[in-house]
Amino acid sequence: MTVLLRRAATQRRHEMPFGTEVREDGAVRFALWAPAVNKVKLALAETTGELLLPMERNETGWFTLVTPRANPGSRYRFIIEDDLRVPDPAARFQPEDVHGHSQVIDPLAWQWRDEAWRGRPWEEAVIYELHVGTFTPEGTFAALQERLDYLVELGITAIELMPVADFPGHRNWGYDGVLLFAPDSRYGTPADLKALIETAHHKGLMVLLDVVYNHFGPEGNYLHAYAPLFFTERHHTPWGTAINFDGPGCETVRQFYIHNALYWLEEYHLDGLRLDAVHAIMDDSAPDFLEELAAVVKQQFGETRHIHLILENDHNAAHYLQRDAQGKPRHYAAQWNEDLHHVLHHLLTGETDGYYADYVDRPIWYLGRCLAEGFAYQGEPSPFRHGALRGEPSGSLPPTAFVSFLQNHDQVGNRAFGERIASLAEEAALRAAVAILLLAPSPPLLFMGEEFGARLPFLFFCDLGADLAEAVTQGRRNEFAHFKRFSTPEVRDTIPAPTDQTTFERSKLAWCDLQQARHLEWFVLYQTLLRIRQAEIVPRLANMSGAAAIFQLLGKSALKVQWTLGDGSSLTLLANLSKEAAHVAGRSFPAGTPLHLYPSSLLQELPANCMPPWSVAWFIKRRERHAR
């Protein structure tokens, strides 16, 4: 779908106390919060060296300077106590990587021409998660822009960029970002990212960005040296001391992250943010940081735009997803539903290691609960977590509060060898799972390449300094020591080293695969199902309430799920997720129009009360409209 927009130019700048601001008179204001030090100088890069200018400190630890000696394009950094040179933690661009000079950017220089774009309603979301550096051979924003028509043709309505905030080195997943306001220079300039977003909007595509507010990467973060109040020993995360969201000095820290969110949404005109691993955001205050952030975003944009905030949260904290009386999200639009992924992965592969152990005892029941109620774990003890209670009741939430997926960067890349599901599951099984994923009411998420059955791995990769590289490689390999398959050091040594250039190169998509018939068949399947979704499911999702679905088991491996959609129509799924036929005595096709049947023999076999192996049938009974 191409959306024709009024091409009136407009300018966008998010005003904030951090970083730089180009004033109307041409001077530039610099600001750094450094409460632990007494002296900071601005170092402006000039052809003859650096011009050093003292900055003024106030009683709260802010250092500021307004100078006409700088202008858009100027490169600068800060000198802490006449000794340590550091980049601007709120730099809008970092062309010399995380240890080099920052660059002054004037956001008003970009003339936006998507003024008529207001976004798309959340129920229309079909999300495509991608990594900019591996999605195309070039690995740039500009190269991605050239592939947008392909995504539109597939049936995607939203692209989700893995984090682009500046990270150390040449390659990274993005979760090691340390300069959260600066698009990484390996992908292009701020103008390149804005051009990508603007073009996406002209083609009817939303653009979502993955942001990391739970930790900084291990290299290039200098905040400890001058603003240790950014961190707290009161809480700890898998990456060390936690970000300080609830201790002394937390007001400025919270504002740093809130301004970051507003900056991406306003200055870059993004349509939403996905917050990474918020279970690692430790905050005992009320309202907590997540609630405050959502409230500020809602207040800032109100009803003027469709802005969507999405969570990744292992705690299954359903209260962040509650709806108001009008059915709109109070805080967050949705959460990644990892429960659904885990149970489907177990059913497709038989794997029981790690968190898959939580779904072994009754996988079909867990699948039905996910499809009908959202989370599989809603307060029950988790065997994987040694019996700890996990989750909150989610049955009152609509299906649109849960993003469903068969693959994402974590579930592929955190495997030792980065195998995709197409390399692990039988084709018939995978087709059945895809048919469930793409037609269920919850917004589906695809991971780049899955739509054509990509088989090349997506591996964990990074590019850190020599002192960290070996430690990261050994740490990565030791993560798998508790798996039986990797119980010996010799086997663990076969796991690809994250810092090797070849690990990154092997993770790039092989677009030539689309020239092969078997890969093109997968593309056609995804495209066909997404067209059915767009025509029959999406128009009926608005105003869908919670507690709108029921599920029942039809034997050991089969189930039936029925949803009442927002317009009163009834959507029904019958599925047998087993390599054995399922006998469902006394049951037949429900009333309604078949939307999708897989395999094609299903129509003949089900009336005989026998569902073939790995079979899926979808039906819709449209609400009758009585003439007045």
Side-chain angles (χ1 to χ4, degrees):
M1 178 180 72
T2 299
V3 177
L4 298 178
L5 303 176
R6 177 172 58 87
R7 298 186 64 84
T10 190
Q11 298 170 309
R12 299 187 176 103
R13 178 177 69 185
H14 175 65
E15 296 184 2
M16 56 187 176
F18 304 92
T20 61
E21 178 185 321
V22 180
R23 300 288 181 91
E24 290 185 4
D25 62 3
V28 179
R29 183 223 68 195
F30 296 85
L32 177 72
W33 187 57
V37 301
N38 295 312
K39 184 188 296 185
V40 175
K41 291 180 181 178
L42 174 70
L44 284 176
E46 298 189 337
T47 55
T48 57
E50 285 185 325
L51 173 65
L52 305 184
L53 301 172
M55 301 180 71
E56 182 177 350
R57 187 189 198 278
N58 70 11
E59 67 280 0
T60 61
W62 280 96
F63 289 82
T64 57
L65 172 68
V66 177
T67 176
R69 300 294 296 269
N71 50 64
S74 292
R75 299 196 179 193
Y76 68 99
R77 53 187 170 181
F78 301 115
I79 303 177
I80 307 298
E81 300 285 15
D82 295 325
D83 180 25
L84 179 65
R85 282 169 162 76
V86 301
D88 184 351
R92 282 179 163 87
F93 193 44
Q94 193 71 17
E96 301 175 20
D97 207 12
V98 297
H99 302 294
H101 288 86
S102 306
Q103 186 171 29
V104 176
I105 297 293
D106 181 7
L108 298 182
W110 178 263
Q111 301 292 311
W112 287 91
R113 296 186 179 276
D114 64 349
E115 179 63 20
W117 176 259
R118 295 292 181 268
R120 300 181 67 157
W122 178 241
E123 60 266 18
E124 296 181 5
V126 176
I127 307 165
Y128 191 93
E129 187 194 20
L130 62 88
H131 178 268
V132 175
T134 56
F135 182 67
T136 65
E138 301 86 353
T140 64
F141 296 130
L144 167 57
Q145 184 175 327
E146 297 301 315
R147 298 277 182 173
L148 294 180
D149 285 337
Y150 163 85
L151 297 177
V152 173
E153 180 186 2
L154 172 61
I156 299 302
T157 63
I159 59 174
E160 180 178 319
L161 306 178
M162 288 173 64
V164 302
D166 201 80
F167 51 76
H170 294 74
R171 54 197 178 272
N172 198 283
W173 274 15
Y175 300 91
D176 290 329
V178 291
L179 300 173
L180 304 188
F181 294 78
D184 195 273
S185 60
R186 301 296 172 182
Y187 300 154
T189 65
D192 292 332
L193 177 53
K194 291 173 182 178
L196 165 64
I197 296 167
E198 181 179 86
T199 303
H201 289 168
H202 282 289
K203 296 179 183 296
L205 290 168
M206 296 183 282
V207 184
L208 312 174
L209 178 64
D210 204 344
V211 294
V212 183
Y213 295 162
N214 52 47
H215 77 292
F216 289 96
E219 181 183 341
N221 171 30
Y222 293 91
L223 287 167
H224 286 282
Y226 57 85
L229 288 177
F230 250 90
F231 310 94
T232 177
E233 291 289 348
R234 294 180 61 244
H235 306 294
H236 287 82
T237 74
W239 307 281
T241 56
I243 304 296
N244 175 26
F245 287 109
D246 61 1
C250 70
E251 296 83 2
T252 304
V253 176
R254 290 165 78 111
Q255 286 304 305
F256 179 85
Y257 287 100
I258 288 172
H259 275 291
N260 183 259
L262 296 176
Y263 162 81
W264 289 118
L265 295 171
E266 182 177 5
E267 198 161 299
Y268 280 85
H269 212 206
L270 286 162
D271 300 282
L273 303 173
R274 181 261 190 189
L275 278 65
D276 177 65
V278 299
H279 50 270
I281 293 178
M282 311 294 188
D283 185 358
D284 295 330
S285 61
D288 66 26
F289 168 73
L290 293 176
E291 293 167 331
E292 182 182 2
L293 171 61
V296 172
V297 169
K298 188 172 186 179
Q299 179 182 23
Q300 178 81 6
F301 299 103
E303 302 298 323
T304 61
R305 290 170 56 194
H306 293 288
I307 298 293
H308 310 300
L309 300 179
I310 305 111
L311 298 176
E312 179 197 16
N313 190 350
D314 186 65
H315 291 164
N316 283 0
H319 68 274
Y320 290 119
L321 309 174
Q322 293 297 327
R323 269 45 182 172
D324 62 19
Q326 289 73 44
K328 296 181 179 180
R330 292 184 185 274
H331 301 296
Y332 291 85
Q335 177 180 313
W336 278 20
N337 194 350
E338 293 180 336
D339 280 353
L340 179 67
H341 167 271
H342 296 347
V343 68
L344 279 173
H345 187 93
H346 165 68
L347 286 165
L348 296 184
T349 68
E351 291 184 7
T352 59
D353 281 336
Y355 39 60
Y356 298 127
D358 276 355
Y359 309 88
V360 171
D361 57 336
R362 44 178 182 167
I364 296 298
W365 185 89
Y366 284 123
L367 176 60
R369 195 182 203 194
C370 285
L371 291 170
E373 301 178 17
F375 297 136
Y377 278 82
Q378 301 180 30
E380 294 80 13
S382 160
F384 171 67
R385 296 163 183 82
H386 309 291
L389 302 183
R390 175 170 177 253
E392 297 171 357
S394 59
S396 65
L397 297 170
T400 48
F402 307 93
V403 175
S404 301
F405 48 88
L406 284 170
Q407 302 182 71
N408 63 33
H409 73 273
D410 273 331
Q411 304 305 336
V412 178
N414 281 336
R415 298 180 65 85
F417 297 105
E419 306 101 322
R420 294 170 176 268
I421 193 67
S423 300
L424 300 170
E426 296 180 7
E427 182 172 311
L430 184 53
R431 283 179 175 270
V434 169
I436 293 173
L437 174 78
L438 297 186
L439 294 184
S442 294
L445 177 143
L446 284 59
F447 182 60
M448 60 177 195
E450 79 166 82
E451 75 281 1
F452 59 81
R455 289 179 176 268
L456 289 179
F458 182 76
L459 297 158
F460 176 66
F461 52 80
C462 58
D463 180 24
L464 302 174
D467 55 334
L468 287 171
E470 181 61 23
V472 168
T473 295
Q474 291 308 315
R476 168 72 172 170
R477 290 170 175 170
N478 289 336
E479 287 178 6
F480 296 93
H482 63 283
F483 290 93
K484 183 178 180 180
R485 179 183 176 189
F486 299 102
S487 58
T488 66
E490 292 77 16
V491 175
R492 292 197 294 274
D493 285 346
T494 65
I495 297 174
T499 54
D500 283 356
Q501 173 74 21
T502 55
T503 302
F504 169 71
E505 295 296 340
R506 291 175 60 200
S507 300
K508 285 181 175 282
L509 280 186
W511 288 96
C512 58
D513 284 351
L514 273 168
Q515 300 174 13
Q516 300 178 21
R518 65 187 182 95
H519 289 288
L520 185 58
E521 288 174 2
W522 278 111
F523 179 88
V524 171
L525 173 65
Y526 274 78
Q527 185 184 57
T528 300
L529 290 171
L530 288 177
R531 286 176 176 171
I532 295 173
R533 180 182 187 85
Q534 181 63 34
E536 298 289 349
I537 309 299
V538 168
R540 297 181 167 86
L541 292 179
N543 304 315
M544 193 172 179
S545 65
I550 56 174
F551 74 97
Q552 63 183 110
L553 304 186
L554 305 180
K556 183 179 179 181
S557 63
L559 83 160
K560 176 181 180 180
V561 188
Q562 185 171 340
W563 295 265
T564 300
L565 302 180
D567 68 345
S569 300
S570 177
L571 179 68
T572 302
L573 164 69
L574 295 177
N576 173 28
L577 296 182
S578 169
K579 59 185 176 183
E580 306 293 338
H583 297 276
V584 288
R587 296 179 176 88
S588 60
F589 280 120
T593 303
L595 288 179
H596 178 77
L597 304 174
Y598 174 77
S600 58
S601 60
L602 188 59
L603 186 61
Q604 289 74 40
E605 296 191 47
L606 193 62
N609 302 323
C610 179
M611 293 188 69
W614 302 114
S615 57
V616 172
W618 282 100
F619 301 87
I620 190 166
K621 184 177 181 181
R622 299 173 182 85
R623 182 185 181 185
E624 295 182 6
R625 299 185 180 275
H626 301 286
R628 294 184 177 181

